[in-house]
Amino acid sequence: MNNNLGLSYNARKALSVHVGEAAGQEIANLIQRMAAQIEELKRSKVNVTPVVPGARVDTDKHLSATLDSETF
């Protein structure tokens, strides 16, 4: 992707050739909207600090125990 969050002409052309003009345009627009949303999230990102000391450790232990009990 280039600096304006859009796809290059070559990328759009490849999409059009391989999936068709309408679908290629739809995919390119989706990628452009997703890139814009990601950039907005990066700009508005807020770091979360646990209010209660040690709360994160308890959460991590709970998550670890939950993952250990899962079967895939």
Side-chain angles (χ1 to χ4, degrees):
M1 278 199 220
N2 57 25
N3 291 336
N4 69 359
L5 303 176
L7 294 174
S8 68
Y9 171 79
N10 289 337
R12 286 181 179 270
K13 184 66 175 174
L15 279 170
S16 296
V17 168
H18 291 287
V19 298
E21 187 71 33
Q25 184 65 35
E26 187 175 340
I27 292 168
N29 290 339
L30 174 64
I31 291 170
Q32 186 172 0
R33 287 193 315 271
M34 289 171 61
Q37 287 177 346
I38 290 168
E39 287 302 314
E40 179 60 31
L41 287 171
K42 286 179 181 178
R43 281 194 298 277
S44 64
K45 178 182 168 190
V46 176
N47 290 328
V48 177
T49 303
V51 176
V52 179
R56 183 179 177 122
V57 173
D58 294 339
T59 303
D60 289 345
K61 287 180 183 176
H62 174 64
L63 178 61
S64 177
T66 301
L67 290 175
D68 289 342
S69 67
E70 290 292 321
T71 57
F72 297 97

